Each structure stands twice: as structure tokens, then as C-alpha cells.
């Protein structure tokens, strides 16, 4: 049976008090992934079709909609074995808090039920107000008539005052506006405590390997911050040569990786709870409402509770390296809300998608949660905003509401590049297959050996050089330029020089100068690349590429991985396809292991102490002066240090030793067992491997294979109140209340928070079932799966499970039950 992964990269926008709605959506995402993991833990496919979620559920944990998701995926499994994986989460502000909690729950299969109480009970203005900011009974008495007047007579026409008629909101708004002015009214240390308690309430994992991530996969979390003061960075220009810029955007990154051999690397265990709490506190530090977040604030909390932070130094080194490099102490920096400059962190999610390993066919989705897509429209054109309105718009409203058009245009452009690349490859396939078949002589069922495969590969390389014409010259020059840049980057990293700094630039110029002097350059006639006695004119540039062209080998592996994806469709149409699918998956996993090994070789820590010492000795003198940027000075330095640079390059080549990686790949493909593979499928793999140089010549100049990865298009789905349509026919306005009062409304009403939490769960169910069915190729009303019935059941389960936690939502629950009963009627 064909296997497929629905891979979700999740982006959670900011939304202040709409955090409660976002939490409801994230809770459903966790339940969907948990159900998928439980289904795939049933290894026996015969038993799987009869299994239920309750069979494997932990009796100590409550569950509800997991059972519906389990049933949906089980029934889809009669057609396609679909697994749901969330491997990337990016969040800002309210979305950053929820993304952090969801990532920890996914990484270690932890519950999120305690967070419901956090949002419903603690996310209230009466809990968040700083003690010293609370008004007395007679504080600012002149504000009372305004608040009560707006509510009683409906004087307010702006959206800010739409909710003031609610008695609870009026009472708490009065408390809020009579609190201290000109200082943040909310309590920063209290917020830090809530965030730490939220992380801690999820508990500790049973073991590091206990996870909802499949073996061999990783989860990355990105949380946006805004550094109030920023840090200095240097940028190269023409005149002046360097300028200073101040960077205020900042991203915190946390990862979980579960290696195939069982080893685990995690930033989501309990030992790292302080770092996660700091991320949640800092990303949601809304300007004016909360004071800026400092790490020292959290440290004081931990000190009072006698809680250690054993991995603080690791956290600082990984996430604040630019600060440490310029001598700033990140513990003392002041951070404000991540939404100020990056409310919709698409770019971080998209960048993380590239090169993500997938051991079976993938449906890649970028899903974003937007709790308020119906943002208020500006007043009529021509109405000039006032002084305070202009300031608020410039400092907060406009940056937070920047459109996502640029990101979506990028995704569309990425998908277009994928389609274009597929077109080039498919158009060239018949001719390249013919060329390779003219070299390869392989009888059906015949086993290969490594030497045979190596000989074929070298014959193909020679033929590419002969037949590619002028294209080959440009291809080689492009590769040499790329490899020189890679070698310079490795030296720069070994020297621990800041990227884009004058010193790093100087190293690159010197390496280029040495390559020119050493004859490491392509020239068809050989006049300009004359080597030492006994060397052919081409030997030096060929040797340089053989020693350092890691990117070619990575491109080839990406191409082979994409070829495995193409095989799935071929096997679907073959009688032997089901039996061979496992072999295809295993070979794809082996290709990814080879890719990991190559990536390891291009890391500075791969090199030994002697090589690092040689680099430091060679570039011992500071080379940051402007004069070092001049080409003639670089030429002089390279000429004076020819032997030293050659020795360093030789050491690096010997340690990287790419010949071994090529041999390992030859051995891997020679070891393909003809009894496990249909002959057509084995031939396809060999054509992809041996014929890759032809495809590389055609495509290298027009695309970056590392950006394209497995050639999977990225489909974008939104989860929002507007897109959840299952209950829309009832005529009842089931929408989040927290969108009022500039997204602060839910902080003033427990009833509003209950409303938003419940709707977040229901809207999450509605959209997630649609996304799963779409990934499986199932349309509503198609086949034996009654999607409406599944949604009705899931909705009812949520209402039954949550009713006792929602004491102020009786009318809403009754209206929802009526709407659910009417679903699909007629």
C-alpha cells in the first residue's frame, strides 16, 4: 500500500487576547498528530483496520477528538497510508506562546490540558495587573462616567468600544483605565511566572525518545522577539567600505531530533523549561501593556523557587551568538513583543522546509492560524487621523498588520521553480536514459559490483564533458566559483570570524587569489592553467573539484531522493509495487543518511585541531584594514604564503576525503537486491545516478537544488473563523470575542475567553479534517467516509468534554448543539 506523509509547517500569528482562540486550534493539532502516531504504532495492517484510539490510549489521560481523527485516518488507510507530522512551528506574540507549548507537547507527547486553565483563569486583567498599578476605589474617579456612559448609551462607535456593554467588561475596564498611567499596567514578573508554570504544568517526558515525531525526524520551533535597543552589525558597501546598522529583529530557535538509531537531541525537555518560558514571556511583551522582558527577570523567579537552569549557557550560545560576538550580555537586553516587527513569521517556516528529510512521499503544507482575518477597515479616505491615532498606527497597528503578500508570492514563485525544474528534467529524461543505456550493460537479475558502477560513472562523466559543448564551460566555471566560496567560508568559520565582516571578506579574496595563482581555474586550451611538471592542464581544477565539490554530491543526492518520490507513482501502477515500496523507503532513508554525512563534512567542527591551528597561524595577523580588500594586496599575500595556503588546502581536502563518500554511494547502489526491486525500478535508480551529470549541466545555472529539496510544492492553508464553514449555515455569529477592543477584549471577560477557546477547538476540527481529506485526495461525499458525520461527532465530543470547564457558556453550548444537530440536514 502506498504511504504518504502530510507534513505541516505551522505559522501562528499574533493576536494578544486571541491567544485563547489560537490555543484551541493548537490543541486540535496536537490531538490529530497524536491520533496519527497511535494509528501507525499498530504495525500489523490487518489489526489496524479494526483498531480504535482507545485500544492504545493512556487511561490516565482524557481524550476526545483523538478517537475521531484516528477513525478518519484508519478509513483513509484503506486507500492510502497517511501519516500526519508537524515538523516546523513559527509563532509571534500570542502565536509564539502557543507555538512554544505545542512544540513541547509534540516533541515529548505531553498533555496540554493544564494550559486551558491558564488561559481561562489567569489571562484576566485582574490577574495580570501589577500590584503597584492597581487603583484604589477612588483612583481617577473622573473616568467612571466615560466607561459607564459608553456601555449604557452606546456612545462609542469605534470598534474599541463595541464590547463595553458587557457588565464584566465594564467593571474590569474601569479597573484597567484607572490603573497607573505612563507605566505598563501589567506585571512582567507575574507573566514570567505564568509562562514558566505553563511549561512546567505539561510535566516531564517518560523518556527522551517518547515523542510524536517519527524516528529520524526533527521538529523546529521559531519564536520572534523584538530587541528594544538592538545590536550593531557591519554591512559591506562600496563607499564607505563598511557601514553600521542596528538589528532589532530576533529569532529564538528550539529543536528536537530523533535519530534513526534512537539517539535524541532535544531543547524541549524539563531541563530547558526556563528557556521556553523566557521565549513565551519575551515574544508576548506587548508595548505599553507589559514592561520589556529581560532574562534576569526569569532568573530571579528561578532563584526564589530554587530551580536550576543547567542549560542556560547552551541557550545563550545558540540563540545569541551575534550579541556575544560584539560583547553584549543577552541576559540584560530588553525584549518587546515579537509582533512589532515580525507578526507573521512565514519566512522562518519556509526556510526551515528546505532540505527537510522525508522517508516516503510527502504532501507539504504551510498552515497558518489567523484568528482575526476580518480586521477593521480604516475610516473613509480623506479623514485625517489625529495625533494619538497616528502615533499608535506608526508604532504598533501598521507594523502588526503588514500583509503576507510577499511571503505568499515567494511560495508561489518557489512552486513555479519546482514545476519548471520538473519540466526540464522530464523533457530531458528520454535522451539521458538513452545515453546512459548505451553505456550500461546489465542483464535482468544481474548483481552489480562497485568497480563496475564506478567505471560506468566515469564513462558518463567523460561523455558529458565531450557532448555538452559551451554549456559545459560555463557549468565548470560556476562550480569552481561555488567551491572556492565554500572553502573560504570553511576557513572563515575555523577562524571564528563574523560572517560578512571585513576579515571574512579578506579571507575570501585571498583564497580566490591563491586559486588563480595555483592554476585552479578552467581553461579549455590550458594556456592559463599550466601546472607543475608531469601534470596535465586540467588536473588541478579537476582535483580541486574532486576534493571540495560537496555541493555537487549534495545535489546528486537530492536528485536521487526526488527519483525515489517518482518511483512511488511508478510502483502504484505495478503489480509488484506494494512489495517494492519498503525497499524504496529504505533506499531513500539511506540517501538521507549519506546527505547528513556530507553536511557534517562542511561544518567547521569536522576539522581537527592541527588544521584549525594551521588556519590560525596562516591568518594570524589581523586583516580587517580596508587595504586588505584591494585585490593587489590579496595577490601579494597569496604569493608570499603560497606554500602555507597550499598546505592548509591539502589538510582540509584530506580530512573531508570526498572519495570515501562517493565510494559509499557506489557501494549502496551496487548493493540493490534485484529480488526486491522490479527491473524497471532498479533501472530508473541507475539512470538517475549515472545520468545526473547531464541533468546537472542543464539545471545548475537556473536553480538552486538545495532550495528546491525534494521538488515538493508547498500548499498554503489557513485556519481562521472565516474558513470554518461547517457551522456557518446556522445563522448564529460564532466568532471570537477577543478581536474586540484592539484584540484586548478577552482579557476583560471570562465568558469571552470561554467562547474563544471553544470556537478555536471547533474551527480547528473543521479545518484539520478538510486538510487531511484533501491531502488524501478525498472530496466530501466521496467514498465510504462521511465527513459531515465525523465533524458532528467531533464537535459533540468537544462540547461534552469542555462543558464543565465553561460555566459562563451555557447559552453558547445550547446554540452550538442546535447548530450541530442541523449540520448536513436537507
Amino acid at each position: 500500500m502506498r504511504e504518504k506523509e502530510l507534513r505541516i509547517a505551522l505559522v501562528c500569528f499574533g493576536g494578544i487576547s486571541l491567544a485563547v482562540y489560537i490555543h484551541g486550534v493548537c490543541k486540535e493539532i496536537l490531538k490529530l498528530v497524536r491520533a496519527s502516531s497511535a494509528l501507525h504504532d499498530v504495525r500489523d495492517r490487518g489489526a489496524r483496520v479494526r483498531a480504535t484510539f482507545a485500544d492504545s490510549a493512556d487511561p490516565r489521560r482524557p481524550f476526545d477528538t483523538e478517537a475521531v481523527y484516528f477513525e478518519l485516518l484508519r478509513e483513509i488507510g484503506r486507500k492510502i497510508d497517511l501519516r500526519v507530522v508537524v515538523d516546523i512551528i513559527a509563532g509571534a506574540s500570542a502565536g509564539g506562546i502557543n507555538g512554544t507549548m505545542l512544540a513541547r507537547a509534540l516533541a515529548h507527547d505531553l498533555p496540554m490540558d493544564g494550559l486551558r486553565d491558564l488561559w481561562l483563569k489567569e489571562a484576566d486583567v485582574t490577574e495580570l495587573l501589577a500590584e503597584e498599578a492597581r487603583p484604589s476605589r477612588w483612583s481617577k474617579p473622573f473616568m467612571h462616567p466615560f466607561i459607564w456612559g459608553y456601555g449604557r448609551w452606546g456612545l462609542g462607535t469605534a470598534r474599541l468600544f463595541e464590547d463595553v456593554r458587557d457588565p464584566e467588561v465594564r467593571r474590569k475596564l474601569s479597573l484597567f483605565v484607572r490603573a497607573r498611567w505612563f507605566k505598563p499596567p501589567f506585571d512582567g514578573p507575574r507573566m514570567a511566572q505564568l509562562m514558566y508554570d505553563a511549561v512546567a504544568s505539561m510535566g516531564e517526558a517518560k523518556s527522551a525518545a517518547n515523542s510524536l515525531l517519527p524516528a529520524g525526524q526533527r521538529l523546529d520551533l521559531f519564536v520572534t522577539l523584538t530587541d528594544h535597543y538592538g545590536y550593531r552589525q557591519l554591512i559591506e558597501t562600496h563607499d564607505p567600505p563598511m557601514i553600521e546598522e542596528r538589528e532589532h529583529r530576533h529569532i529564538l530557535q528550539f529543536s528536537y531530533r530523533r535519530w534513526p538509531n534512537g539517539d535524541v537531541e532535544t531543547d524541549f525537555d524539563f531541563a530547558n523549561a526556563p528557556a521556553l518560558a523566557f521565549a513565551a514571556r519575551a515574544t508576548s511583551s506587548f508595548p505599553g501593556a507589559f514592561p520589556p522582558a529581560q532574562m534576569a527577570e526569569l532568573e530571579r523567579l528561578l532563584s526564589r523557587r530554587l530551580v536550576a537552569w543547567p542549560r542556560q549557557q547552551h541557550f545563550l550560545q545558540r540563540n545569541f551568538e551575534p550579541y556575544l560576538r560584539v560583547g553584549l550580555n543577552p541576559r540584560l537586553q530588553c525584549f518587546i513583543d515579537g509582533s512589532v516587527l515580525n507578526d507573521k513569521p512565514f519566512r522562518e517556516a519556509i526556510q526551515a522546509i528546505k532540505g527537510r528529510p522525508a522517508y516516503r512521499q510527502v504532501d507539504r503544507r504551510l498552515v497558518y492560524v489567523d484568528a482575526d482575518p476580518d480586521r477593521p477597515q480604516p475610516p473613509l479616505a480623506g479623514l485625517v487621523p489625529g495625533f494619538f491615532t497616528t502615533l499608535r498606527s506608526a508604532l504598533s497597528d501598521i507594523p502588526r498588520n503588514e500583509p503576507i503578500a510577499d511571503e505568499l508570492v515567494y511560495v508561489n514563485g518557489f512552486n513555479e521553480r519546482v514545476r519548471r525544474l520538473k519540466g526540464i528534467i522530464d523533457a530531458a529524461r528520454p535522451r539521458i536514459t538513452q545515453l546512459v543505456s548505451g553505456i550500461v550493460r546489465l542483464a535482468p537479475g544481474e548483481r552489480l559490483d562497485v568497480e563496475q558502477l564506478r567505471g560506468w560513472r566515469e564513462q558518463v562523466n567523460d561523455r558529458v564533458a565531450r557532448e555538452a559543448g559551451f554549456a559545459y564551460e560555463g557549468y565548470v566555471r560556476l562550480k569552481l566559483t561555488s567551491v572556492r566560496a565554500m572553502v573560504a567560508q570553511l576557513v572563515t568559520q575555523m577562524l571564528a570570524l563574523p560572517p560578512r565582516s571585513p576579515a571574512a571578506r579578506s579571507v575570501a579574496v585571498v583564497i580566490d587569489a591563491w586559486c588563480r595563482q595555483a592554476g585552479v581555474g578552467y581553461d579549455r586550451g590550458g594556456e592559463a592553467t599550466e601546472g607543475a611538471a608531469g601534470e596535465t592542464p586540467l588536473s588541478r581544477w579537476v582535483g580541486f573539484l574532486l576534493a571540495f565539490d560537496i555541493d555537487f554530491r549534495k545535489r546528486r543526492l537530492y536528485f536521487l531522493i526526488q527519483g525515489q518520490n517518482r518511483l512511488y507513482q511508478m510502483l502504484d501502477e505495478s503489480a509488484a509495487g506494494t512489495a517494492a515500496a519498503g525497499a524504496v523507503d529504505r533506499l531513500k532513508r539511506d540517501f538521507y543518511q549519506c546527505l547528513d554525512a556530507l553536511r557534517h563534512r562542511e561544518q567547521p567542527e569536522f576539522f581537527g585541531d592541527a588544521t584549525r591551528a594551521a588556519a590560525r597561524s596562516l591568518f594570524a595577523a589581523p586583516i580587517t584594514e580596508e587595504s586588505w580588500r584591494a585585490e593587489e594586496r590579496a595577490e601579494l599575500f597569496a604569493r608570499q604564503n603560497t606554500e602555507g595556503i597550499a598546505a592548509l588546502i591539502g589538510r582540509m581536502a584530506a580530512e573531508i576525503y570526498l572519495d570515501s563518500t562517493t565510494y559509499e554511494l557506489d557501494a549502496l547502489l551496487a548493493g540493490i537486491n534485484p529480488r526486491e526491486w522490479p527491473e524497471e525500478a532498479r533501472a530508473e535508480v541507475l539512470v538517475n545516478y549515472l545520468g545526473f551529470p547531464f541533468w546537472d549541466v542543464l539545471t545548475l545555472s537556473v536553480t538552486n537544488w538545495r532550495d528546491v529539496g525534494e521538488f515538493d510544492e508547498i500548499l498554503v492553508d489557513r485556519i481562521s473563523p472565516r474558513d470554518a464553514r461547517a457551522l456557518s449555515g446556522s445563522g448564529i455569529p460564532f466568532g471570537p470575542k477577543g478581536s474586540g477592543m484592539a484584540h484586548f477584549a478577552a482579557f476583560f471577560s471570562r465568558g469571552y475567553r470561554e467562547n474563544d477557546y471553544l470556537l478555536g477547538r471547533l474551527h480547528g476540527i473543521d479545518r484539520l479534517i478538510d486538510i487531511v481529506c484533501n491531502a488524501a485526495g478525498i472530496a466530501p461525499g466521496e467514498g465510504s467516509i462521511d465527513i459531515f458525520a465525523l465533524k458532528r461527532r467531533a464537535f459533540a465530543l468537544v462540547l461534552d468534554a469542555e462543558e464543565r470547564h465553561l460555566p459562563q457558556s451555557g447559552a453558547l453550548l445550547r446554540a452550538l448543539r442546535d447548530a450541530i444537530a442541523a449540520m448536513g440536514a436537507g
Side-chain angles (χ1 to χ4, degrees):
M1 176 178 294
R2 186 158 61 100
E3 294 186 347
K4 190 176 185 180
E5 278 187 8
L6 170 57
R7 286 283 188 94
I8 295 176
L10 180 68
V11 178
C12 297
F13 291 1
I16 311 175
S17 73
L18 285 168
V20 188
Y21 177 91
I22 300 169
H23 169 63
V25 174
C26 288
K27 192 168 187 177
E28 287 306 315
I29 293 172
L30 174 64
K31 288 173 176 289
L32 170 62
V33 175
R34 183 173 287 140
S36 176
S37 177
L39 180 66
H40 283 81
D41 282 344
V42 182
R43 304 298 182 187
D44 184 342
R45 294 186 185 275
R48 187 181 293 180
V49 298
R50 300 183 300 275
T52 67
F53 183 80
D55 296 337
S56 58
D58 185 341
R60 295 167 296 180
R61 284 189 188 177
F63 69 89
D64 40 65
T65 53
E66 291 96 335
V68 175
Y69 296 130
F70 188 97
E71 180 180 333
L72 172 64
L73 293 169
R74 185 192 66 202
E75 295 307 307
I76 287 173
R78 300 179 186 275
K79 174 184 176 183
I80 178 172
D81 190 9
L82 183 70
R83 178 156 192 168
V84 183
V85 176
V86 175
D87 62 342
I88 297 165
I89 301 175
S93 191
I97 295 176
N98 284 293
T100 299
M101 305 305 169
L102 175 61
R104 183 161 194 256
L106 290 168
H108 293 295
D109 190 13
L110 297 172
M112 289 176 64
D113 296 305
L115 301 179
R116 171 187 53 216
D117 296 333
L118 167 77
W119 288 121
L120 296 183
K121 296 178 181 178
E122 308 292 348
D124 192 276
V125 65
T126 59
E127 296 293 331
L128 296 175
L129 275 178
E131 194 61 39
E132 63 273 18
R134 294 176 182 272
S136 68
R137 183 177 180 181
W138 301 107
S139 296
K140 302 181 182 67
F142 59 87
M143 293 301 299
H144 283 288
F146 289 96
I147 300 302
W148 288 91
Y150 273 113
R152 187 171 181 182
W153 296 297
L155 298 178
T157 57
R159 186 172 182 176
L160 179 63
F161 296 102
E162 287 178 0
D163 299 282
V164 185
R165 291 184 177 87
D166 182 281
E168 182 185 5
V169 175
R170 287 204 305 272
R171 185 176 67 256
K172 292 179 179 177
L173 183 59
S174 173
L175 177 71
F176 180 75
V177 300
R178 291 185 300 110
R180 67 181 179 191
W181 291 0
F182 308 114
K183 285 187 178 182
F186 289 159
D187 191 338
R190 170 65 174 157
M191 185 63 172
Q193 175 188 326
L194 290 176
M195 293 300 96
Y196 181 80
D197 289 344
V199 175
S201 71
M202 301 171 71
E204 183 118 37
K206 296 176 182 176
S207 69
N210 191 58
S211 175
L212 296 178
L213 272 292
Q217 299 294 337
R218 65 178 292 164
L219 168 67
D220 283 310
L221 166 69
F222 303 92
V223 180
T224 70
L225 309 182
T226 304
D227 185 340
H228 181 268
Y229 294 109
Y231 62 90
R232 186 189 67 167
Q233 61 175 352
L234 297 176
I235 299 177
E236 183 179 356
T237 62
H238 174 253
D239 188 15
M242 304 296 289
I243 63 171
E244 291 185 2
E245 279 286 289
R246 191 158 290 277
E247 180 60 70
H248 294 273
R249 296 171 186 253
H250 195 67
I251 300 289
L252 299 181
Q253 181 177 357
F254 302 88
S255 299
Y256 174 92
R257 180 142 195 185
R258 186 179 175 195
W259 295 93
N261 64 3
D263 291 344
V264 169
E265 299 170 4
T266 180
D267 292 325
F268 297 103
D269 56 356
F270 199 83
N272 209 37
L276 298 170
F278 173 76
R281 160 71 176 102
T283 190
S284 58
S285 184
F286 190 84
F290 287 99
Q294 286 185 297
M295 212 172 299
E297 175 186 75
L298 184 67
E299 291 171 349
R300 288 191 290 271
L301 170 68
L302 299 176
S303 177
R304 288 196 303 272
R305 294 188 174 186
L306 303 179
V307 175
W309 189 350
R311 295 172 57 191
Q312 183 177 14
Q313 197 58 36
H314 169 78
F315 172 63
L316 294 175
Q317 289 174 346
R318 179 177 180 185
N319 285 281
F320 295 95
E321 190 272 336
Y323 292 79
L324 300 173
R325 193 171 61 229
V326 297
L328 290 176
N329 185 350
R331 297 173 51 254
L332 304 179
Q333 293 297 107
C334 296
F335 296 95
I336 59 177
D337 197 293
S339 287
V340 172
L341 295 177
N342 193 359
D343 187 47
K344 305 170 180 68
F346 276 98
R347 192 144 302 178
E348 289 72 26
I350 293 168
Q351 291 296 324
I353 288 173
K354 299 173 184 177
R356 189 60 56 114
Y359 303 128
R360 52 189 60 82
Q361 190 177 11
V362 167
D363 184 315
R364 167 56 78 180
R365 303 293 175 109
L366 195 157
V367 176
Y368 69 98
V369 182
D370 186 357
D372 185 21
D374 300 310
R375 291 175 177 82
Q377 296 299 313
L380 295 174
L383 182 62
V384 179
F387 176 74
F388 288 107
T389 301
T390 303
L391 283 179
R392 189 187 69 188
S393 296
L395 297 176
S396 177
D397 291 353
I398 291 177
R400 292 172 67 88
N401 289 294
E402 277 295 289
I404 61 174
D406 289 346
E407 283 75 13
L408 296 185
V409 166
Y410 173 85
V411 173
N412 291 335
F414 172 87
N415 291 339
E416 178 58 33
R417 290 198 303 276
V418 169
R419 289 190 289 269
R420 190 185 310 127
L421 184 58
K422 284 181 176 178
I424 294 171
I425 290 169
D426 291 343
R429 186 172 292 278
R431 174 61 176 157
I432 294 174
T433 299
Q434 182 183 17
L435 290 170
V436 173
S437 299
I439 294 173
V440 174
R441 297 286 185 265
L442 186 65
E446 179 184 350
R447 299 295 294 258
L448 281 171
D449 62 60
V450 173
E451 286 303 312
Q452 187 179 17
L453 196 59
R454 183 182 63 81
W456 289 340
R457 181 166 46 76
E458 291 177 352
Q459 290 180 58
V460 170
N461 289 337
D462 290 341
R463 189 156 187 177
V464 170
R466 291 197 309 270
E467 297 192 6
F470 286 111
Y472 189 72
E473 180 176 342
Y475 168 73
V476 172
R477 291 185 187 279
L478 185 60
K479 292 214 306 175
L480 284 168
T481 299
S482 174
V483 171
R484 286 198 301 269
M486 187 273 290
V487 170
Q489 181 179 358
L490 285 175
V491 174
T492 298
Q493 291 172 337
M494 283 192 285
L495 296 171
L497 298 175
R500 301 191 305 274
S501 67
R505 170 66 177 162
S506 297
V507 170
V509 174
V510 167
I511 295 296
D512 280 347
W514 178 85
C515 286
R516 286 192 297 271
Q517 295 170 17
V520 183
Y522 178 79
D523 190 296
R524 202 173 186 88
E527 295 90 346
T529 56
E530 186 175 343
E535 289 184 332
T536 63
L538 297 180
S539 61
R540 289 200 170 186
W541 68 261
V542 170
F544 192 67
L545 288 180
L546 289 175
F548 290 107
D549 197 359
I550 295 177
D551 276 352
F552 171 82
R553 290 158 175 81
K554 287 163 63 177
R555 291 193 302 272
R556 181 170 60 189
L557 281 164
Y558 277 126
F559 188 75
L560 289 171
I561 289 166
Q562 187 273 336
Q564 298 299 98
N565 293 339
R566 189 172 180 272
L567 281 179
Y568 291 121
Q569 183 177 355
M570 179 188 296
L571 294 175
D572 280 346
E573 301 164 359
S574 166
T578 301
V584 172
D585 287 343
R586 287 193 298 274
L587 184 57
K588 189 177 181 185
R589 185 181 295 271
D590 290 337
F591 287 153
Y592 267 114
Q593 289 176 352
C594 293
L595 191 59
D596 280 338
L598 277 173
R599 288 171 176 158
H600 185 53
R601 290 169 190 264
E602 60 181 352
Q603 301 301 315
E605 56 269 19
F606 182 77
F607 298 97
D609 292 340
T611 303
R612 292 168 181 271
R616 288 193 296 270
S617 174
L618 182 62
F619 294 99
I623 51 175
T624 58
E625 298 87 351
E626 179 186 342
S627 59
W628 275 99
R629 287 164 35 81
E631 188 171 312
E632 59 271 18
R633 293 296 301 273
E635 294 281 353
L636 177 61
F637 182 88
R639 190 172 298 112
Q640 291 173 340
N641 295 274
T642 297
E643 292 183 2
I645 296 174
L648 175 62
I649 297 293
R651 280 181 174 276
M652 294 171 63
E655 290 193 50
I656 292 176
Y657 192 42
L658 288 183
D659 283 351
S660 67
T661 67
T662 302
Y663 177 85
E664 289 166 5
L665 192 54
D666 283 346
L668 180 63
L669 292 169
I672 290 178
N673 188 345
R675 290 178 294 181
E676 294 182 344
W677 287 72
E679 198 60 39
E680 183 183 5
R682 184 169 72 136
E684 178 86 1
V685 174
L686 292 176
V687 166
N688 289 338
Y689 181 52
L690 297 172
F692 175 72
F694 287 108
W695 276 297
D696 202 35
V697 171
L698 287 173
T699 60
L700 180 60
S701 62
V702 297
T703 189
N704 186 335
W705 290 62
R706 288 173 295 179
D707 289 346
V708 175
E710 291 200 24
F711 306 178
D712 293 317
E713 294 187 36
I714 302 173
L715 304 182
V716 181
D717 295 295
R718 181 176 71 175
I719 298 179
S720 79
R722 181 187 289 182
D723 307 304
R725 302 184 181 93
L727 296 171
S728 59
S730 65
I732 303 171
F734 296 127
K737 302 276 192 178
S739 57
M741 298 173 63
H743 292 173
F744 274 87
F747 288 151
F748 294 88
S749 169
R750 164 75 185 237
Y752 284 11
R753 295 194 295 280
E754 291 182 7
N755 175 92
D756 291 2
Y757 166 66
L758 188 57
L759 293 187
R761 289 202 63 182
L762 299 181
H763 293 170
I765 291 167
D766 195 355
R767 293 294 292 129
L768 290 172
I769 288 179
D770 288 345
I771 291 169
V772 167
C773 290
N774 181 262
I778 297 171
E782 179 180 292
S784 60
I785 301 177
D786 188 338
I787 296 174
F788 273 110
L790 286 171
K791 288 184 178 180
R792 282 197 301 269
R793 239 180 74 215
F795 292 160
L797 285 170
V798 168
L799 300 190
D800 291 342
E802 300 291 1
E803 184 170 14
R804 65 190 179 92
H805 301 288
L806 309 175
Q808 298 188 21
S809 300
L812 174 65
L813 289 164
R814 288 191 294 272
L816 283 168
R817 285 196 167 98
D818 291 342
I820 292 167
M823 275 179 59

